[in-house]
Amino acid sequence: MVKKLPKVPVVVVGMGWAGSIISAELTKAGIEVVGLERGRERKMSDYLMVHDELRFQHREEMMQDLSKETITSRNNRKMRALPMRHYGTFIVGDGVGGAGSHWNGQTYRFLPYDFEIKSLTQERYGAGKIKSEIPLQDWGITYDELESYYDTFEKMAGISGETVDLYGHRSNPYPTGPMLKTPVLEEFEKATKKLGYNPYILPSANLSENYENPDGISRMACQYCAYCENFGCEYGAKADPVVTVIPVAQETGKLDLRTHANVTRILNDD
Ligand code: SF4
């Protein structure tokens, strides 16, 4: 039987990075939020001593179970949409934190060019370069418009990186320095510099040092255990909604987080 619940100003569907960040920002501003998450609750303590490759790497315990609920895709409307039976590189998280809990932490910014790929390509190579059948378009937002949001995200998540002159303008350096180099990376650096390249350490959401973010959330430095992707981080060193923004939203008392709440349809009047 349908049960009608009291109205709230905002309902967020899915408590991965996007839903959790929005929930934290809204609740900090005093707005009540109901967060609906189809999977289960997760805490950092769930990840203790779970370097179990069979469970997490091979049986993909943190992902949507494709044997129960799959995803279909097709490249155009004439094709039959086929179900995905095994994950490839696109892996869909399930549970609080979503894919933000099992990601590996590489945290590039898009290049300014990426946002204006159509107009900048045409500017450089001429209007005829992009054929009409190629569905290429600009994002409608530029790197400079988004820069302050990248900066806010990097401070919240404690992104570790080497500030190199590769991306567009940065208002601040990364909040924490780059990760350590392994002996192999040191050799790679020497060899590529000799060839005239400028190697640098990739920005990552794995903390290179203990860090307290602007919301007052303290997290420990990475222990280089190498169980990032497909696993949760038992040290809280990898930025994950569970250890960054969700506690901030919960602290306000304005977030009602409901797990095992699967949204199948959104109804609206018009
Ligand atoms: S300790 Fe470091 S390497 Fe291990 S899971 Fe956490 S962030 Fe990844």
Side-chain angles (χ1 to χ4, degrees), residues 145-179:
E145 285 168 319
L146 208 60
E147 201 282 331
S148 68
Y149 297 97
Y150 271 132
D151 187 60
T152 305
F153 174 81
E154 286 168 359
K155 287 181 186 140
M156 175 278 290
I159 302 304
S160 301
E162 203 170 341
T163 306
V164 289
D165 189 19
L166 169 70
Y167 305 100
H169 152 79
R170 294 185 61 92
S171 44
N172 288 294
Y174 288 104
T176 54
M179 306 293 288

Side-chain angles (χ1 to χ4, degrees), residues 11-20 23 35-38 95 97-98 257 261 263:
V11 177
V12 170
V13 179
M15 294 301 282
W17 266 130
S20 304
S23 300
L36 301 177
E37 166 53 48
R38 65 183 172 166
L257 174 51
V263 175

Side-chain angles (χ1 to χ4, degrees), residues 2-263:
V2 174
K3 189 175 168 195
K4 227 177 182 178
L5 300 173
K7 285 194 174 200
V8 286
V10 178
V11 177
V12 170
V13 179
M15 294 301 282
W17 266 130
S20 304
I21 290 173
I22 286 168
S23 300
E25 292 303 307
L26 291 171
T27 52
K28 280 195 281 182
I31 299 168
E32 269 178 64
V33 173
V34 168
L36 301 177
E37 166 53 48
R38 65 183 172 166
R40 68 182 186 91
E41 191 186 358
R42 279 210 191 95
K43 297 195 185 74
M44 202 174 96
S45 52
D46 294 343
Y47 308 140
L48 285 176
M49 309 300 288
V50 287
H51 294 174
D52 183 336
E53 295 182 19
L54 184 63
R55 267 176 73 192
F56 294 98
Q57 187 73 35
H58 299 286
R59 294 187 176 154
E60 294 158 331
E61 194 170 300
M62 296 182 83
M63 319 304 169
Q64 177 174 324
D65 184 347
L66 297 180
S67 70
K68 293 185 181 148
E69 186 185 9
T70 188
I71 300 156
T72 59
S73 67
R74 55 185 174 173
N75 296 328
N76 61 53
R77 288 180 185 201
K78 286 186 193 144
M79 284 173 75
R80 178 186 293 216
L82 295 173
M84 192 188 250
R85 295 294 183 211
H86 298 282
Y87 282 118
T89 47
F90 172 59
I91 40 181
V92 186
D94 180 75
V96 174
S101 293
H102 68 67
W103 71 318
N104 62 22
Q106 289 184 33
T107 325
Y108 296 103
R109 290 180 176 202
F110 275 12
L111 301 172
Y113 170 73
D114 298 329
F115 292 94
E116 297 171 273
I117 190 163
K118 184 175 185 184
S119 41
L120 293 180
T121 301
Q122 285 176 332
E123 193 181 301
R124 181 158 180 177
Y125 298 104
K129 187 68 186 171
I130 302 165
K131 307 283 177 233
S132 58
E133 67 271 20
I134 299 176
L136 192 67
Q137 62 183 29
D138 294 344
W139 278 71
I141 186 171
T142 65
Y143 174 89
D144 288 337
E145 285 168 319
L146 208 60
E147 201 282 331
S148 68
Y149 297 97
Y150 271 132
D151 187 60
T152 305
F153 174 81
E154 286 168 359
K155 287 181 186 140
M156 175 278 290
I159 302 304
S160 301
E162 203 170 341
T163 306
V164 289
D165 189 19
L166 169 70
Y167 305 100
H169 152 79
R170 294 185 61 92
S171 44
N172 288 294
Y174 288 104
T176 54
M179 306 293 288
L180 294 177
K181 289 178 199 139
T182 60
V184 172
L185 274 183
E186 281 168 6
E187 289 305 313
F188 179 81
E189 186 179 39
K190 268 192 244 160
T192 48
K193 274 188 175 164
K194 229 189 260 177
L195 292 169
Y197 293 108
N198 298 306
Y200 66 97
I201 301 283
L202 293 177
S204 84
N206 321 107
L207 281 175
S208 60
E209 57 193 80
N210 294 347
Y211 177 68
E212 182 177 328
N213 79 6
D215 290 316
I217 298 283
S218 294
R219 292 167 35 229
M220 277 172 53
C222 172
Q223 307 297 305
Y224 296 87
C225 75
Y227 283 86
C228 281
E229 187 164 348
N230 287 21
F231 297 81
C233 174
E234 64 190 306
Y235 299 99
K238 179 174 72 174
D240 164 344
V242 172
V243 295
T244 53
V245 278
I246 290 173
V248 172
Q250 283 173 324
E251 183 67 25
T252 65
K254 301 266 180 201
L255 173 66
D256 177 2
L257 174 51
R258 298 182 197 161
T259 51
H260 302 290
N262 205 342
V263 175

